[in-house]
Amino acid sequence: DFQMTQSPASLSASLEEIVTITCQASQNIGNWLAWYQQKPGKSPQLLIYGTTSLADGVPSRFSGSRSGTQYSLKINRLQVEDIGIYYCQQASSSPWTFGGGTKLELK
Amino acid sequence: EVQLAETGGGLVQPGNSLKLSCATSGFTFSTAWMSWIRQTPGKRLEWLAQIEDKSNNYFISYLESVKGRFTISRDDSKSSVYLQMNNLKEEDTAIYYCTRIIRDKGYYFDYWGQGVMVTVSS
């Protein structure tokens, strides 16, 4: 199975700050990667798919990128509604696997 | 509006069975691929199973660790997907989500239900 290693496990940031979360794939998954956001008490929601494509309704302050087998989620100008847990997911080979999550809190 | 609603969770003893249901609306269910994903108490997400549509002969795939114990099925006439879970273990304790799969530059989960809690404990 493809392993996805996310970092950091938790992150504290201030409003308007730029936040970056990374995900390392154990094997080449190309651009077949997604990011999900889970707000407190809610179900996960698709944020980004295909490494860089924003899901419907997702604000443009979110962006995704890739360098080799390392993937990044960037949040420009952190807002209070961005607080929650973020997960990456590889979509290259079944079983689809997720990173362990990054808990994002306000400083 | 797309909606997915899971039911059937609860407290069950180890070794027992439980069947989860997911009723959907707001999209063409018959052509949708559907999946079950669980979230452990430690917040880890784990894909469990998926079922494709009729045009793909309702092809099914499972996470290896639940194969033989869990069975996914669907009823297109009811726009519903199910997860039969047998011989439950304490490590199956989790929130179970029904999700829709989109196939666009990969396989992703674009809609999730609210989740249903399954607790396996004696």
CSV table of all heavy atoms in Angstrom, one decimal, chain A residues 1 31-34 36 38 42-46 48-51 53 85 87 89-91 94-100, chain B residues 35 37 39 42-47 50 61-64 97 101-102 104-115:
chain,number,residue,atom,x,y,z
A,1,ASP,N,0.8,-1.2,0.0
A,1,ASP,CA,0.0,0.0,0.0
A,1,ASP,C,0.9,1.3,0.0
A,1,ASP,O,2.0,1.2,0.5
A,1,ASP,CB,-0.9,0.0,1.2
A,1,ASP,CG,-1.9,-1.2,1.3
A,1,ASP,OD1,-1.9,-2.0,0.3
A,1,ASP,OD2,-2.6,-1.3,2.3
A,31,ASN,N,0.3,13.2,-10.1
A,31,ASN,CA,-0.5,14.3,-9.6
A,31,ASN,C,-1.8,13.8,-8.9
A,31,ASN,O,-2.7,14.6,-8.7
A,31,ASN,CB,-0.8,15.3,-10.7
A,31,ASN,CG,0.4,16.1,-11.0
A,31,ASN,OD1,1.2,16.5,-10.2
A,31,ASN,ND2,0.6,16.4,-12.3
A,32,TRP,N,-1.9,12.6,-8.6
A,32,TRP,CA,-3.1,12.0,-8.1
A,32,TRP,C,-3.2,12.1,-6.6
A,32,TRP,O,-3.0,11.2,-5.8
A,32,TRP,CB,-3.2,10.5,-8.5
A,32,TRP,CG,-3.3,10.4,-10.0
A,32,TRP,CD1,-2.6,11.1,-11.0
A,32,TRP,CD2,-4.2,9.5,-10.8
A,32,TRP,NE1,-3.0,10.7,-12.2
A,32,TRP,CE2,-3.9,9.7,-12.1
A,32,TRP,CE3,-5.1,8.6,-10.4
A,32,TRP,CZ2,-4.6,9.0,-13.1
A,32,TRP,CZ3,-5.8,7.9,-11.4
A,32,TRP,CH2,-5.5,8.1,-12.7
A,33,LEU,N,-3.4,13.3,-6.1
A,33,LEU,CA,-3.4,13.6,-4.7
A,33,LEU,C,-4.5,14.6,-4.4
A,33,LEU,O,-4.8,15.6,-5.2
A,33,LEU,CB,-2.1,14.2,-4.2
A,33,LEU,CG,-2.1,14.5,-2.7
A,33,LEU,CD1,-1.2,13.6,-2.0
A,33,LEU,CD2,-1.8,15.9,-2.4
A,34,ALA,N,-5.2,14.4,-3.3
A,34,ALA,CA,-6.2,15.3,-2.8
A,34,ALA,C,-5.9,15.8,-1.4
A,34,ALA,O,-5.2,15.2,-0.6
A,34,ALA,CB,-7.6,14.6,-2.8
A,36,TYR,N,-8.2,17.3,2.0
A,36,TYR,CA,-9.5,17.5,2.6
A,36,TYR,C,-9.4,18.3,3.9
A,36,TYR,O,-8.4,18.3,4.6
A,36,TYR,CB,-10.1,16.1,3.1
A,36,TYR,CG,-10.3,15.2,1.9
A,36,TYR,CD1,-9.2,14.4,1.4
A,36,TYR,CD2,-11.5,15.1,1.3
A,36,TYR,CE1,-9.4,13.6,0.3
A,36,TYR,CE2,-11.7,14.2,0.2
A,36,TYR,CZ,-10.7,13.5,-0.3
A,36,TYR,OH,-10.9,12.6,-1.4
A,38,GLN,N,-11.4,19.1,7.5
A,38,GLN,CA,-12.4,18.7,8.4
A,38,GLN,C,-12.6,19.8,9.6
A,38,GLN,O,-11.7,19.9,10.4
A,38,GLN,CB,-12.1,17.3,9.0
A,38,GLN,CG,-13.3,16.8,9.9
A,38,GLN,CD,-13.0,15.4,10.4
A,38,GLN,OE1,-11.9,15.0,10.6
A,38,GLN,NE2,-14.1,14.7,10.6
A,42,LYS,N,-17.5,18.3,12.2
A,42,LYS,CA,-18.1,18.1,10.8
A,42,LYS,C,-17.4,17.0,10.1
A,42,LYS,O,-16.4,16.4,10.5
A,42,LYS,CB,-17.9,19.4,10.0
A,42,LYS,CG,-18.6,20.6,10.6
A,42,LYS,CD,-20.1,20.4,10.6
A,42,LYS,CE,-20.8,21.7,11.1
A,42,LYS,NZ,-22.3,21.5,11.1
A,43,SER,N,-18.0,16.6,8.9
A,43,SER,CA,-17.4,15.6,8.1
A,43,SER,C,-16.2,16.2,7.3
A,43,SER,O,-16.3,17.4,7.0
A,43,SER,CB,-18.4,15.0,7.1
A,43,SER,OG,-19.5,14.5,7.8
A,44,PRO,N,-15.3,15.4,6.8
A,44,PRO,CA,-14.3,16.0,5.9
A,44,PRO,C,-14.9,16.5,4.6
A,44,PRO,O,-16.0,16.0,4.2
A,44,PRO,CB,-13.4,14.8,5.6
A,44,PRO,CG,-13.5,13.9,6.8
A,44,PRO,CD,-15.0,14.0,7.2
A,45,GLN,N,-14.3,17.5,4.0
A,45,GLN,CA,-14.7,18.1,2.8
A,45,GLN,C,-13.6,18.1,1.8
A,45,GLN,O,-12.4,18.5,2.2
A,45,GLN,CB,-15.2,19.5,3.0
A,45,GLN,CG,-16.6,19.6,3.7
A,45,GLN,CD,-17.0,21.1,3.7
A,45,GLN,OE1,-16.4,21.9,4.4
A,45,GLN,NE2,-18.1,21.4,3.1
A,46,LEU,N,-13.8,17.8,0.5
A,46,LEU,CA,-12.8,17.9,-0.5
A,46,LEU,C,-12.4,19.3,-0.7
A,46,LEU,O,-13.3,20.2,-0.9
A,46,LEU,CB,-13.3,17.2,-1.8
A,46,LEU,CG,-12.4,17.2,-3.0
A,46,LEU,CD1,-11.1,16.3,-2.7
A,46,LEU,CD2,-13.1,16.7,-4.2
A,48,ILE,N,-9.0,20.1,-2.4
A,48,ILE,CA,-8.1,20.2,-3.7
A,48,ILE,C,-8.0,18.8,-4.2
A,48,ILE,O,-7.9,17.8,-3.4
A,48,ILE,CB,-6.7,20.8,-3.4
A,48,ILE,CG1,-6.8,22.3,-3.1
A,48,ILE,CG2,-5.8,20.5,-4.5
A,48,ILE,CD1,-5.5,22.9,-2.7
A,49,TYR,N,-8.1,18.6,-5.5
A,49,TYR,CA,-7.9,17.3,-6.1
A,49,TYR,C,-6.9,17.4,-7.3
A,49,TYR,O,-6.7,18.6,-7.8
A,49,TYR,CB,-9.2,16.7,-6.5
A,49,TYR,CG,-9.9,17.4,-7.6
A,49,TYR,CD1,-9.8,17.1,-8.9
A,49,TYR,CD2,-10.7,18.5,-7.3
A,49,TYR,CE1,-10.5,17.8,-9.9
A,49,TYR,CE2,-11.4,19.2,-8.2
A,49,TYR,CZ,-11.3,18.9,-9.6
A,49,TYR,OH,-11.9,19.6,-10.5
A,50,GLY,N,-6.4,16.3,-7.7
A,50,GLY,CA,-5.4,16.4,-8.8
A,50,GLY,C,-4.2,17.3,-8.5
A,50,GLY,O,-3.7,18.0,-9.4
A,51,THR,N,-3.9,17.4,-7.3
A,51,THR,CA,-2.8,18.1,-6.7
A,51,THR,C,-3.0,19.6,-6.7
A,51,THR,O,-2.6,20.3,-5.7
A,51,THR,CB,-1.4,17.9,-7.5
A,51,THR,OG1,-1.1,16.5,-7.3
A,51,THR,CG2,-0.3,18.8,-7.0
A,53,SER,N,-6.1,21.3,-8.4
A,53,SER,CA,-7.4,21.8,-8.7
A,53,SER,C,-8.3,22.0,-7.5
A,53,SER,O,-8.5,21.1,-6.7
A,53,SER,CB,-8.1,20.8,-9.6
A,53,SER,OG,-7.4,20.6,-10.8
A,85,ILE,N,-8.8,20.1,10.9
A,85,ILE,CA,-7.8,19.1,10.6
A,85,ILE,C,-7.8,18.9,9.0
A,85,ILE,O,-8.8,18.8,8.4
A,85,ILE,CB,-8.1,17.7,11.2
A,85,ILE,CG1,-8.3,17.9,12.7
A,85,ILE,CG2,-7.0,16.7,10.9
A,85,ILE,CD1,-8.8,16.6,13.4
A,87,TYR,N,-6.2,16.7,5.8
A,87,TYR,CA,-5.7,15.4,5.4
A,87,TYR,C,-5.3,15.4,3.9
A,87,TYR,O,-6.1,15.9,3.1
A,87,TYR,CB,-6.8,14.3,5.6
A,87,TYR,CG,-7.3,14.1,7.0
A,87,TYR,CD1,-8.3,14.8,7.5
A,87,TYR,CD2,-6.6,13.2,7.8
A,87,TYR,CE1,-8.8,14.6,8.8
A,87,TYR,CE2,-7.1,12.9,9.1
A,87,TYR,CZ,-8.1,13.7,9.6
A,87,TYR,OH,-8.6,13.4,10.9
A,89,GLN,N,-4.7,12.7,0.6
A,89,GLN,CA,-5.1,11.3,0.2
A,89,GLN,C,-4.5,11.0,-1.2
A,89,GLN,O,-4.6,11.9,-2.1
A,89,GLN,CB,-6.6,11.3,0.1
A,89,GLN,CG,-7.2,10.0,-0.5
A,89,GLN,CD,-8.1,10.2,-1.7
A,89,GLN,OE1,-8.7,11.2,-1.9
A,89,GLN,NE2,-8.0,9.2,-2.7
A,90,GLN,N,-3.9,9.9,-1.3
A,90,GLN,CA,-3.4,9.5,-2.6
A,90,GLN,C,-4.5,8.8,-3.4
A,90,GLN,O,-5.2,7.9,-2.9
A,90,GLN,CB,-2.1,8.6,-2.5
A,90,GLN,CG,-2.2,7.3,-1.9
A,90,GLN,CD,-2.7,6.2,-2.8
A,90,GLN,OE1,-2.7,6.3,-4.1
A,90,GLN,NE2,-3.2,5.0,-2.3
A,91,ALA,N,-4.6,9.1,-4.7
A,91,ALA,CA,-5.6,8.6,-5.6
A,91,ALA,C,-5.0,7.8,-6.7
A,91,ALA,O,-5.6,7.7,-7.8
A,91,ALA,CB,-6.5,9.7,-6.1
A,94,SER,N,-5.3,1.8,-5.5
A,94,SER,CA,-6.1,1.2,-4.4
A,94,SER,C,-5.3,0.3,-3.6
A,94,SER,O,-4.5,-0.5,-4.1
A,94,SER,CB,-7.3,0.5,-5.0
A,94,SER,OG,-8.1,0.0,-4.0
A,95,PRO,N,-5.4,0.3,-2.2
A,95,PRO,CA,-6.4,1.0,-1.4
A,95,PRO,C,-6.0,2.5,-1.3
A,95,PRO,O,-4.8,2.8,-1.1
A,95,PRO,CB,-6.3,0.3,-0.1
A,95,PRO,CG,-4.9,-0.2,0.0
A,95,PRO,CD,-4.6,-0.6,-1.4
A,96,TRP,N,-7.0,3.3,-1.5
A,96,TRP,CA,-6.8,4.8,-1.3
A,96,TRP,C,-6.4,5.0,0.1
A,96,TRP,O,-7.0,4.6,1.1
A,96,TRP,CB,-8.0,5.6,-1.7
A,96,TRP,CG,-8.8,5.0,-2.9
A,96,TRP,CD1,-10.0,4.6,-2.9
A,96,TRP,CD2,-8.2,4.8,-4.2
A,96,TRP,NE1,-10.4,4.1,-4.1
A,96,TRP,CE2,-9.3,4.2,-5.0
A,96,TRP,CE3,-7.0,5.0,-4.8
A,96,TRP,CZ2,-9.1,3.9,-6.3
A,96,TRP,CZ3,-6.8,4.7,-6.1
A,96,TRP,CH2,-7.9,4.1,-6.9
A,97,THR,N,-5.3,5.8,0.3
A,97,THR,CA,-4.8,6.0,1.7
A,97,THR,C,-4.6,7.5,2.0
A,97,THR,O,-4.4,8.3,1.1
A,97,THR,CB,-3.4,5.3,1.9
A,97,THR,OG1,-2.6,5.6,0.8
A,97,THR,CG2,-3.6,3.8,2.0
A,98,PHE,N,-4.8,7.7,3.3
A,98,PHE,CA,-4.8,9.1,3.8
A,98,PHE,C,-3.5,9.4,4.6
A,98,PHE,O,-3.0,8.4,5.3
A,98,PHE,CB,-6.0,9.4,4.6
A,98,PHE,CG,-7.3,9.4,3.9
A,98,PHE,CD1,-7.9,8.1,3.7
A,98,PHE,CD2,-7.9,10.5,3.4
A,98,PHE,CE1,-9.2,8.1,3.0
A,98,PHE,CE2,-9.1,10.5,2.8
A,98,PHE,CZ,-9.7,9.3,2.5
A,99,GLY,N,-3.1,10.6,4.7
A,99,GLY,CA,-2.1,11.0,5.6
A,99,GLY,C,-2.7,11.0,7.0
A,99,GLY,O,-4.0,11.0,7.2
A,100,GLY,N,-1.9,11.2,8.0
A,100,GLY,CA,-2.4,11.1,9.4
A,100,GLY,C,-3.1,12.4,9.9
A,100,GLY,O,-3.7,12.3,11.0
B,35,SER,N,-18.6,4.7,-1.7
B,35,SER,CA,-17.6,4.2,-0.9
B,35,SER,C,-17.9,4.4,0.6
B,35,SER,O,-18.7,5.2,0.9
B,35,SER,CB,-16.3,5.0,-1.2
B,35,SER,OG,-15.2,4.5,-0.4
B,37,ILE,N,-15.9,5.0,4.3
B,37,ILE,CA,-14.6,5.4,4.9
B,37,ILE,C,-14.9,5.5,6.4
B,37,ILE,O,-16.0,6.0,6.8
B,37,ILE,CB,-14.1,6.7,4.3
B,37,ILE,CG1,-13.7,6.6,2.9
B,37,ILE,CG2,-12.9,7.3,5.1
B,37,ILE,CD1,-13.4,7.9,2.1
B,39,GLN,N,-13.4,6.8,10.4
B,39,GLN,CA,-12.5,7.7,11.1
B,39,GLN,C,-12.3,7.1,12.5
B,39,GLN,O,-13.3,7.0,13.3
B,39,GLN,CB,-12.9,9.1,11.1
B,39,GLN,CG,-11.9,10.1,11.8
B,39,GLN,CD,-12.3,11.5,11.5
B,39,GLN,OE1,-13.5,11.9,11.5
B,39,GLN,NE2,-11.3,12.3,11.3
B,42,GLY,N,-8.7,8.1,17.0
B,42,GLY,CA,-7.5,8.9,16.9
B,42,GLY,C,-7.5,9.8,15.7
B,42,GLY,O,-6.5,10.5,15.4
B,43,LYS,N,-8.6,9.9,15.0
B,43,LYS,CA,-8.9,10.8,13.9
B,43,LYS,C,-8.2,10.3,12.5
B,43,LYS,O,-8.2,11.0,11.6
B,43,LYS,CB,-8.4,12.2,14.2
B,43,LYS,CG,-9.1,12.9,15.3
B,43,LYS,CD,-10.5,13.1,15.1
B,43,LYS,CE,-11.2,13.9,16.2
B,43,LYS,NZ,-12.7,14.0,15.9
B,44,ARG,N,-7.7,9.1,12.5
B,44,ARG,CA,-7.2,8.6,11.3
B,44,ARG,C,-8.3,8.2,10.3
B,44,ARG,O,-9.3,7.6,10.8
B,44,ARG,CB,-6.3,7.4,11.6
B,44,ARG,CG,-5.6,6.7,10.4
B,44,ARG,CD,-4.6,5.7,10.9
B,44,ARG,NE,-5.2,4.7,11.8
B,44,ARG,CZ,-5.7,3.5,11.3
B,44,ARG,NH1,-5.7,3.3,10.0
B,44,ARG,NH2,-6.3,2.6,12.1
B,45,LEU,N,-8.1,8.5,9.1
B,45,LEU,CA,-9.1,8.1,8.0
B,45,LEU,C,-8.7,6.9,7.3
B,45,LEU,O,-7.5,6.7,7.0
B,45,LEU,CB,-9.3,9.3,7.0
B,45,LEU,CG,-10.0,10.5,7.5
B,45,LEU,CD1,-9.9,11.6,6.5
B,45,LEU,CD2,-11.4,10.3,7.9
B,46,GLU,N,-9.6,6.0,7.1
B,46,GLU,CA,-9.3,4.7,6.5
B,46,GLU,C,-10.4,4.3,5.5
B,46,GLU,O,-11.6,4.1,5.9
B,46,GLU,CB,-9.2,3.6,7.6
B,46,GLU,CG,-8.7,2.3,7.1
B,46,GLU,CD,-8.4,1.3,8.3
B,46,GLU,OE1,-9.3,1.2,9.1
B,46,GLU,OE2,-7.4,0.7,8.3
B,47,TRP,N,-10.0,4.2,4.2
B,47,TRP,CA,-10.9,3.8,3.2
B,47,TRP,C,-11.2,2.3,3.4
B,47,TRP,O,-10.3,1.5,3.6
B,47,TRP,CB,-10.3,4.1,1.8
B,47,TRP,CG,-11.1,3.4,0.7
B,47,TRP,CD1,-12.2,3.9,0.0
B,47,TRP,CD2,-10.8,2.2,0.1
B,47,TRP,NE1,-12.6,3.1,-1.0
B,47,TRP,CE2,-11.8,2.0,-0.9
B,47,TRP,CE3,-9.9,1.2,0.3
B,47,TRP,CZ2,-11.8,0.8,-1.7
B,47,TRP,CZ3,-9.9,0.0,-0.5
B,47,TRP,CH2,-10.8,-0.2,-1.5
B,50,GLN,N,-15.5,0.1,-1.8
B,50,GLN,CA,-16.2,0.9,-2.8
B,50,GLN,C,-16.9,0.0,-3.8
B,50,GLN,O,-16.5,-1.2,-4.0
B,50,GLN,CB,-15.3,1.8,-3.6
B,50,GLN,CG,-14.3,1.2,-4.6
B,50,GLN,CD,-13.4,2.2,-5.2
B,50,GLN,OE1,-12.8,3.1,-4.5
B,50,GLN,NE2,-13.2,2.1,-6.5
B,61,SER,N,-14.4,-3.3,-4.5
B,61,SER,CA,-13.0,-3.5,-4.0
B,61,SER,C,-13.1,-3.2,-2.5
B,61,SER,O,-13.9,-2.4,-2.0
B,61,SER,CB,-12.0,-2.7,-4.7
B,61,SER,OG,-12.4,-1.4,-4.8
B,62,TYR,N,-12.2,-3.9,-1.7
B,62,TYR,CA,-12.1,-3.8,-0.3
B,62,TYR,C,-10.7,-3.5,0.2
B,62,TYR,O,-9.7,-3.9,-0.4
B,62,TYR,CB,-12.6,-5.1,0.4
B,62,TYR,CG,-14.0,-5.4,0.2
B,62,TYR,CD1,-14.4,-6.4,-0.7
B,62,TYR,CD2,-15.0,-4.8,1.0
B,62,TYR,CE1,-15.7,-6.7,-0.9
B,62,TYR,CE2,-16.3,-5.2,0.8
B,62,TYR,CZ,-16.7,-6.1,-0.1
B,62,TYR,OH,-18.0,-6.4,-0.3
B,63,LEU,N,-10.6,-2.9,1.3
B,63,LEU,CA,-9.4,-2.8,2.1
B,63,LEU,C,-9.1,-4.3,2.5
B,63,LEU,O,-10.0,-5.0,3.0
B,63,LEU,CB,-9.5,-1.9,3.3
B,63,LEU,CG,-8.3,-1.7,4.2
B,63,LEU,CD1,-7.2,-1.0,3.4
B,63,LEU,CD2,-8.6,-1.0,5.4
B,64,GLU,N,-7.9,-4.7,2.4
B,64,GLU,CA,-7.5,-6.1,2.7
B,64,GLU,C,-7.9,-6.5,4.1
B,64,GLU,O,-8.4,-7.7,4.3
B,64,GLU,CB,-6.0,-6.3,2.4
B,64,GLU,CG,-5.6,-7.8,2.3
B,64,GLU,CD,-6.2,-8.5,1.2
B,64,GLU,OE1,-6.4,-7.9,0.1
B,64,GLU,OE2,-6.5,-9.7,1.3
B,97,TYR,N,-18.3,6.8,7.5
B,97,TYR,CA,-18.9,7.8,6.5
B,97,TYR,C,-19.2,7.1,5.2
B,97,TYR,O,-18.4,6.3,4.7
B,97,TYR,CB,-17.9,8.9,6.2
B,97,TYR,CG,-17.5,9.8,7.4
B,97,TYR,CD1,-16.4,9.6,8.1
B,97,TYR,CD2,-18.4,10.8,7.7
B,97,TYR,CE1,-16.1,10.5,9.2
B,97,TYR,CE2,-18.1,11.7,8.8
B,97,TYR,CZ,-16.9,11.5,9.5
B,97,TYR,OH,-16.6,12.3,10.5
B,101,ILE,N,-17.7,9.0,-4.9
B,101,ILE,CA,-16.4,9.0,-5.5
B,101,ILE,C,-16.5,9.8,-6.8
B,101,ILE,O,-17.5,9.6,-7.6
B,101,ILE,CB,-15.9,7.6,-5.9
B,101,ILE,CG1,-15.7,6.8,-4.6
B,101,ILE,CG2,-14.6,7.7,-6.7
B,101,ILE,CD1,-15.4,5.3,-4.8
B,102,ILE,N,-15.6,10.7,-7.1
B,102,ILE,CA,-15.5,11.3,-8.4
B,102,ILE,C,-14.2,10.8,-9.0
B,102,ILE,O,-13.2,10.6,-8.4
B,102,ILE,CB,-15.5,12.9,-8.3
B,102,ILE,CG1,-14.3,13.4,-7.4
B,102,ILE,CG2,-16.8,13.4,-7.9
B,102,ILE,CD1,-14.1,14.9,-7.6
B,104,ASP,N,-11.7,12.1,-11.6
B,104,ASP,CA,-11.2,13.3,-12.3
B,104,ASP,C,-9.8,13.5,-11.9
B,104,ASP,O,-9.5,13.9,-10.7
B,104,ASP,CB,-12.1,14.5,-12.0
B,104,ASP,CG,-11.6,15.7,-12.8
B,104,ASP,OD1,-10.6,15.7,-13.5
B,104,ASP,OD2,-12.4,16.7,-12.8
B,105,LYS,N,-8.8,13.1,-12.7
B,105,LYS,CA,-7.4,13.2,-12.3
B,105,LYS,C,-7.2,12.3,-11.1
B,105,LYS,O,-6.3,12.7,-10.2
B,105,LYS,CB,-7.0,14.6,-12.0
B,105,LYS,CG,-7.3,15.6,-13.1
B,105,LYS,CD,-7.1,17.1,-12.7
B,105,LYS,CE,-7.7,18.0,-13.6
B,105,LYS,NZ,-7.6,19.4,-13.2
B,106,GLY,N,-7.9,11.2,-11.0
B,106,GLY,CA,-7.7,10.3,-9.8
B,106,GLY,C,-9.1,10.0,-9.3
B,106,GLY,O,-10.1,10.3,-9.9
B,107,TYR,N,-9.1,9.4,-8.1
B,107,TYR,CA,-10.4,8.9,-7.5
B,107,TYR,C,-10.5,9.6,-6.1
B,107,TYR,O,-9.7,9.4,-5.2
B,107,TYR,CB,-10.4,7.4,-7.3
B,107,TYR,CG,-10.3,6.7,-8.6
B,107,TYR,CD1,-9.0,6.5,-9.2
B,107,TYR,CD2,-11.4,6.2,-9.3
B,107,TYR,CE1,-8.9,5.9,-10.4
B,107,TYR,CE2,-11.3,5.6,-10.5
B,107,TYR,CZ,-10.0,5.4,-11.1
B,107,TYR,OH,-9.9,4.8,-12.3
B,108,TYR,N,-11.5,10.5,-6.0
B,108,TYR,CA,-11.6,11.3,-4.8
B,108,TYR,C,-13.0,11.2,-4.3
B,108,TYR,O,-13.9,10.8,-4.9
B,108,TYR,CB,-11.3,12.8,-5.2
B,108,TYR,CG,-9.9,12.9,-5.9
B,108,TYR,CD1,-9.9,13.2,-7.2
B,108,TYR,CD2,-8.7,12.8,-5.2
B,108,TYR,CE1,-8.7,13.3,-7.9
B,108,TYR,CE2,-7.5,12.9,-5.8
B,108,TYR,CZ,-7.5,13.1,-7.2
B,108,TYR,OH,-6.3,13.2,-7.9
B,109,PHE,N,-13.2,11.7,-3.0
B,109,PHE,CA,-14.4,11.6,-2.3
B,109,PHE,C,-15.0,13.0,-2.2
B,109,PHE,O,-14.6,13.8,-1.3
B,109,PHE,CB,-14.2,11.0,-0.9
B,109,PHE,CG,-13.4,9.7,-1.1
B,109,PHE,CD1,-12.0,9.7,-0.7
B,109,PHE,CD2,-13.9,8.5,-1.6
B,109,PHE,CE1,-11.2,8.6,-0.9
B,109,PHE,CE2,-13.2,7.4,-1.7
B,109,PHE,CZ,-11.8,7.4,-1.4
B,110,ASP,N,-16.0,13.3,-3.1
B,110,ASP,CA,-16.4,14.7,-3.1
B,110,ASP,C,-17.6,15.0,-2.2
B,110,ASP,O,-17.9,16.2,-1.9
B,110,ASP,CB,-16.7,15.2,-4.6
B,110,ASP,CG,-17.9,14.4,-5.2
B,110,ASP,OD1,-18.2,13.3,-4.7
B,110,ASP,OD2,-18.4,14.9,-6.2
B,111,TYR,N,-18.4,14.1,-1.8
B,111,TYR,CA,-19.5,14.3,-0.9
B,111,TYR,C,-19.4,13.2,0.2
B,111,TYR,O,-19.2,12.0,-0.1
B,111,TYR,CB,-20.8,14.3,-1.6
B,111,TYR,CG,-21.1,15.5,-2.4
B,111,TYR,CD1,-20.9,15.5,-3.8
B,111,TYR,CD2,-21.5,16.7,-1.8
B,111,TYR,CE1,-21.1,16.6,-4.5
B,111,TYR,CE2,-21.7,17.8,-2.5
B,111,TYR,CZ,-21.5,17.8,-3.9
B,111,TYR,OH,-21.8,18.9,-4.6
B,112,TRP,N,-19.6,13.7,1.4
B,112,TRP,CA,-19.6,12.8,2.6
B,112,TRP,C,-20.9,12.9,3.4
B,112,TRP,O,-21.4,14.0,3.5
B,112,TRP,CB,-18.4,13.2,3.5
B,112,TRP,CG,-17.0,13.1,2.9
B,112,TRP,CD1,-16.6,13.7,1.8
B,112,TRP,CD2,-15.9,12.3,3.4
B,112,TRP,NE1,-15.3,13.4,1.6
B,112,TRP,CE2,-14.8,12.6,2.6
B,112,TRP,CE3,-15.8,11.5,4.6
B,112,TRP,CZ2,-13.6,12.0,2.8
B,112,TRP,CZ3,-14.5,10.9,4.8
B,112,TRP,CH2,-13.5,11.2,3.9
B,113,GLY,N,-21.3,11.8,4.0
B,113,GLY,CA,-22.4,11.9,4.9
B,113,GLY,C,-22.0,12.5,6.2
B,113,GLY,O,-20.8,12.9,6.4
B,114,GLN,N,-22.9,12.6,7.2
B,114,GLN,CA,-22.6,13.2,8.5
B,114,GLN,C,-21.9,12.2,9.4
B,114,GLN,O,-21.3,12.5,10.4
B,114,GLN,CB,-23.9,13.7,9.2
B,114,GLN,CG,-24.6,12.6,9.9
B,114,GLN,CD,-25.5,11.7,9.0
B,114,GLN,OE1,-25.5,11.9,7.8
B,114,GLN,NE2,-26.1,10.7,9.6
B,115,GLY,N,-21.9,10.9,9.0
B,115,GLY,CA,-21.2,9.9,9.7
B,115,GLY,C,-22.1,9.2,10.7
B,115,GLY,O,-23.1,9.8,11.2
